[in-house]
Amino acid sequence: MNQGAIPDESPRNLQEQLLLQDAKAGNCRAIQGGPDDILGDVSRLVALYGGNPEDWYKITSIQAFVINGASVQVHWFENAKIFQQVELKFKRQYPKIAPKNL
């Protein structure tokens, strides 16, 4: 069964708002998608939002901010033909902590 639409995630604080504004202003890049690297999720995106499979890309912010100890980037899917942006999320990566010597 296909998953439905994933709702956009809202920024939690001012730093995430600024990161989102920066990315939407053009400081972003495609990390997957297009005619040569079709997204694994493309059939769901086409079913929900329309367009052609080769028009969909996964986009990420170029910058990552460190917020509350996590490296944060913005990700979303974008139909490059009509500039539709959907399913915005903030990817938070916390540093791995080495186990203590016993």
Side-chain angles (χ1 to χ4, degrees):
M1 176 180 245
N2 284 342
Q3 180 181 357
I6 299 169
D8 284 345
E9 186 179 340
S10 297
R12 294 181 182 172
N13 51 48
L14 178 59
Q15 293 97 334
E16 288 184 356
Q17 290 174 8
L18 294 172
L19 180 63
L20 176 59
Q21 284 179 335
D22 186 61
K24 296 275 183 141
N27 292 318
C28 59
R29 65 181 178 88
I31 55 176
Q32 187 180 7
D36 298 325
D37 190 17
I38 298 291
L39 293 169
D41 232 6
V42 77
S43 58
R44 182 181 68 80
L45 294 168
V46 169
L48 288 169
Y49 306 108
N52 297 311
E54 63 273 10
D55 298 336
W56 284 99
Y57 291 82
K58 185 170 187 177
I59 307 294
T60 185
S61 58
I62 292 172
Q63 291 193 46
F65 287 2
V66 176
I67 303 170
N68 297 326
S71 175
V72 182
Q73 286 186 299
V74 183
H75 288 197
W76 66 86
F77 293 109
E78 183 172 306
N79 181 316
K81 193 167 234 174
I82 61 170
F83 304 107
Q84 180 181 19
Q85 299 171 339
V86 298
E87 302 184 9
L88 174 97
K89 71 176 184 177
F90 290 87
K91 184 174 181 181
R92 298 170 184 91
Q93 292 184 304
Y94 292 89
K96 294 181 180 178
I97 300 172
K100 294 181 181 180
N101 292 333
L102 299 176

